Coordinates of all heavy atoms in Angstrom, one line a residue:
A21 N -17.0 97.5 78.2 CA -15.9 97.3 77.3 C -16.4 97.1 75.9 O -17.5 96.9 75.6 CB -15.1 96.0 77.8
L22 N -15.4 97.2 74.9 CA -15.7 97.0 73.5 C -14.8 96.1 72.9 O -13.5 96.2 73.1 CB -15.6 98.4 72.8 CG -15.8 98.4 71.3 CD1 -17.3 98.2 71.0 CD2 -15.3 99.7 70.7
Y23 N -15.3 95.0 72.2 CA -14.4 94.1 71.5 C -14.4 94.6 70.0 O -15.5 94.8 69.5 CB -14.9 92.7 71.6 CG -14.2 91.8 70.6 CD1 -12.9 91.3 70.9 CD2 -14.8 91.5 69.4 CE1 -12.3 90.5 70.0 CE2 -14.1 90.7 68.4 CZ -12.8 90.2 68.7 OH -12.2 89.5 67.8
A24 N -13.2 94.6 69.4 CA -13.1 95.0 68.0 C -12.1 94.0 67.3 O -11.0 93.8 67.8 CB -12.6 96.4 67.9
P25 N -12.5 93.5 66.2 CA -11.7 92.5 65.5 C -10.6 93.3 64.8 O -10.6 94.5 64.6 CB -12.6 91.9 64.5 CG -13.7 92.9 64.3 CD -13.8 93.6 65.6
P26 N -9.6 92.5 64.2 CA -8.6 93.2 63.4 C -9.2 94.0 62.2 O -10.3 93.6 61.8 CB -7.7 92.0 62.9 CG -8.0 90.9 63.8 CD -9.4 91.1 64.3
R27 N -8.5 95.0 61.8 CA -8.9 95.8 60.7 C -10.1 96.7 61.0 O -10.6 97.4 60.1 CB -9.1 95.0 59.4 CG -7.8 94.3 58.9 CD -8.0 93.3 57.8 NE -8.9 92.2 58.1 CZ -8.5 91.2 58.9 NH1 -7.3 91.1 59.4 NH2 -9.4 90.2 59.1
A28 N -10.7 96.7 62.2 CA -11.8 97.5 62.5 C -11.4 98.9 62.8 O -10.4 99.1 63.5 CB -12.6 96.9 63.7
A29 N -12.1 99.9 62.3 CA -11.9 101.3 62.6 C -12.6 101.6 63.9 O -13.8 101.7 63.9 CB -12.4 102.1 61.5
V30 N -11.8 101.8 65.0 CA -12.4 102.1 66.3 C -12.3 103.6 66.6 O -11.2 104.1 66.4 CB -11.6 101.3 67.4 CG1 -12.1 101.6 68.8 CG2 -11.8 99.8 67.1
E31 N -13.4 104.2 67.0 CA -13.4 105.6 67.5 C -14.0 105.6 68.8 O -15.2 105.2 69.0 CB -14.2 106.4 66.5 CG -13.6 106.6 65.1 CD -14.5 107.5 64.3 OE1 -15.3 108.3 64.8 OE2 -14.4 107.4 63.1
I32 N -13.3 106.2 69.8 CA -13.8 106.4 71.1 C -13.7 107.9 71.4 O -12.6 108.4 71.4 CB -13.0 105.6 72.1 CG1 -13.2 104.1 71.8 CG2 -13.4 105.9 73.6 CD1 -12.3 103.1 72.5
T33 N -14.8 108.5 71.6 CA -14.8 110.0 71.9 C -15.3 110.2 73.3 O -16.4 109.8 73.7 CB -15.8 110.7 70.9 OG1 -15.4 110.4 69.6 CG2 -15.8 112.2 71.2
A34 N -14.4 110.8 74.1 CA -14.7 111.1 75.5 C -15.8 112.1 75.7 O -15.7 113.2 75.0 CB -13.4 111.5 76.2
E35 N -16.8 111.8 76.5 CA -17.8 112.8 76.8 C -17.5 113.5 78.1 O -17.9 114.6 78.4 CB -19.2 112.1 76.9 CG -19.6 111.5 75.6 CD -21.0 110.8 75.7 OE1 -21.4 110.3 76.8 OE2 -21.6 110.6 74.6
T36 N -16.7 112.8 79.0 CA -16.2 113.3 80.2 C -14.7 112.9 80.1 O -14.3 112.2 79.2 CB -16.8 112.7 81.4 OG1 -16.4 111.3 81.5 CG2 -18.3 112.8 81.4
P37 N -13.8 113.4 81.1 CA -12.5 112.8 81.1 C -12.6 111.3 81.2 O -13.4 110.7 82.0 CB -11.9 113.4 82.3 CG -12.6 114.7 82.5 CD -14.0 114.4 82.1
V38 N -11.8 110.6 80.4 CA -11.9 109.1 80.3 C -10.5 108.5 80.5 O -9.5 109.0 80.0 CB -12.4 108.7 78.9 CG1 -12.1 107.2 78.6 CG2 -13.9 109.0 78.8
E39 N -10.5 107.4 81.3 CA -9.3 106.6 81.4 C -9.6 105.3 80.7 O -10.6 104.6 81.1 CB -8.9 106.3 82.9 CG -7.6 105.6 83.0 CD -7.1 105.5 84.4 OE1 -7.9 105.6 85.3 OE2 -5.9 105.2 84.6
L40 N -8.8 104.9 79.7 CA -9.2 103.7 78.9 C -8.0 102.8 78.8 O -6.8 103.2 78.6 CB -9.5 104.2 77.5 CG -9.8 103.2 76.4 CD1 -11.2 102.6 76.6 CD2 -9.7 103.9 75.0
A41 N -8.2 101.5 79.0 CA -7.2 100.5 78.9 C -7.6 99.7 77.6 O -8.7 99.4 77.3 CB -7.2 99.5 80.1
V42 N -6.5 99.3 76.8 CA -6.7 98.6 75.6 C -5.7 97.4 75.6 O -4.5 97.6 75.6 CB -6.5 99.4 74.3 CG1 -6.7 98.6 73.1 CG2 -7.4 100.7 74.3
G43 N -6.3 96.2 75.6 CA -5.5 95.0 75.4 C -5.7 94.6 74.0 O -6.7 94.7 73.3
S44 N -4.6 94.0 73.4 CA -4.7 93.5 72.0 C -3.9 92.2 71.9 O -3.0 91.9 72.7 CB -4.1 94.6 71.1 OG -2.7 94.7 71.3
A45 N -4.3 91.4 70.9 CA -3.6 90.2 70.6 C -3.8 89.8 69.1 O -4.8 90.3 68.5 CB -4.2 89.1 71.5
P46 N -2.9 89.0 68.6 CA -3.0 88.6 67.2 C -4.3 87.9 67.0 O -4.8 87.1 67.9 CB -1.8 87.7 66.9 CG -0.9 87.9 68.1 CD -1.7 88.4 69.2
A47 N -5.0 88.1 65.8 CA -6.2 87.4 65.5 C -6.5 87.4 64.0 O -5.9 88.2 63.3 CB -7.4 88.1 66.3
K48 N -7.4 86.6 63.6 CA -7.7 86.5 62.2 C -8.9 87.3 61.8 O -9.2 87.6 60.7 CB -8.0 85.0 61.8 CG -6.7 84.2 61.9 CD -7.0 82.8 61.5 CE -5.6 82.0 61.6 NZ -5.8 80.6 61.7
G49 N -9.7 87.7 62.8 CA -10.9 88.5 62.5 C -12.1 87.7 62.2 O -12.9 88.1 61.3
L50 N -12.4 86.7 62.9 CA -13.5 85.8 62.7 C -14.8 86.2 63.4 O -15.9 85.7 63.2 CB -13.2 84.4 63.1 CG -11.9 83.8 62.5 CD1 -11.6 82.4 63.0 CD2 -12.1 83.7 60.9
H51 N -14.7 87.2 64.3 CA -15.8 87.6 65.2 C -16.1 89.1 65.0 O -15.2 89.9 64.8 CB -15.5 87.3 66.6 CG -15.1 85.9 66.8 ND1 -16.0 84.8 66.7 CD2 -13.9 85.3 67.1 CE1 -15.3 83.7 66.9 NE2 -14.0 84.0 67.2
P52 N -17.4 89.5 65.1 CA -17.8 90.9 64.9 C -17.5 91.7 66.1 O -17.4 91.2 67.2 CB -19.3 90.8 64.6 CG -19.7 89.5 65.4 CD -18.6 88.6 65.2
A53 N -17.5 93.0 65.9 CA -17.4 93.9 67.0 C -18.6 93.8 67.9 O -19.7 93.5 67.4 CB -17.2 95.4 66.5
R54 N -18.4 94.0 69.2 CA -19.5 94.0 70.1 C -19.2 94.8 71.4 O -18.1 94.9 71.8 CB -19.9 92.6 70.5 CG -19.0 91.8 71.3 CD -19.5 90.4 71.7 NE -18.7 89.7 72.5 CZ -17.6 89.1 72.1 NH1 -17.2 89.2 70.9 NH2 -16.8 88.5 73.0
L55 N -20.3 95.3 72.0 CA -20.2 95.9 73.3 C -20.3 94.9 74.4 O -21.1 94.0 74.3 CB -21.4 96.9 73.4 CG -21.4 97.9 74.5 CD1 -20.1 98.8 74.5 CD2 -22.6 98.8 74.5
I56 N -19.5 95.0 75.4 CA -19.6 94.1 76.6 C -20.1 94.9 77.7 O -19.5 95.9 78.2 CB -18.2 93.5 76.9 CG1 -17.6 92.8 75.6 CG2 -18.2 92.7 78.1 CD1 -16.2 92.5 75.7
L57 N -21.3 94.6 78.2 CA -22.0 95.3 79.2 C -21.5 94.9 80.6 O -21.0 93.7 80.8 CB -23.5 95.1 79.1 CG -24.1 95.5 77.8 CD1 -25.6 95.1 77.8 CD2 -24.0 97.0 77.6
P58 N -21.5 95.7 81.6 CA -21.1 95.4 83.0 C -21.7 94.1 83.5 O -21.0 93.3 84.1 CB -21.5 96.6 83.8 CG -21.5 97.7 82.9 CD -22.0 97.1 81.6
E59 N -23.0 93.9 83.2 CA -23.6 92.6 83.7 C -23.1 91.4 83.0 O -23.4 90.3 83.5 CB -25.2 92.8 83.6 CG -25.7 93.1 82.2 CD -25.9 94.6 82.0 OE1 -25.3 95.4 82.7 OE2 -26.7 94.9 81.1
E60 N -22.4 91.5 81.9 CA -21.8 90.3 81.3 C -20.4 90.0 81.8 O -19.8 89.0 81.4 CB -21.7 90.6 79.8 CG -23.0 90.8 79.1 CD -22.9 91.2 77.6 OE1 -22.7 90.3 76.8 OE2 -22.8 92.4 77.3
V61 N -19.9 90.9 82.6 CA -18.5 90.8 83.1 C -18.5 89.9 84.4 O -19.2 90.2 85.3 CB -17.9 92.1 83.4 CG1 -16.5 92.0 84.1 CG2 -17.8 93.0 82.1
G62 N -17.7 88.8 84.3 CA -17.6 87.9 85.5 C -16.7 88.6 86.6 O -15.9 89.5 86.3
R63 N -16.9 88.0 87.8 CA -16.0 88.5 88.9 C -15.6 87.4 89.7 O -16.3 86.5 90.1 CB -16.9 89.5 89.8 CG -16.0 90.1 90.9 CD -16.9 91.0 91.7 NE -17.4 90.3 92.9 CZ -17.8 90.9 94.0 NH1 -17.7 92.2 94.1 NH2 -18.2 90.1 95.0

């Protein structure tokens, strides 16, 4: 997953066919963009 703060220019280019979900919520933009790796995802 990818976290992007408000006003960030996000570009996602498919290398294979891609299914992508995007959740969004109001924010002030206090945190930087970052990649979220599978091993960081809780279950």
Side-chain angles (χ1 to χ4, degrees):
L22 176 74
Y23 168 78
R27 298 171 296 287
V30 175
E31 290 181 24
I32 299 171
T33 302
E35 295 178 341
T36 66
V38 163
E39 186 175 19
L40 178 74
V42 181
S44 66
K48 294 180 180 162
L50 305 176
H51 307 288
R54 70 177 181 282
L55 190 60
I56 301 166
L57 302 174
E59 54 267 23
E60 298 174 85
V61 173
R63 184 179 95 158

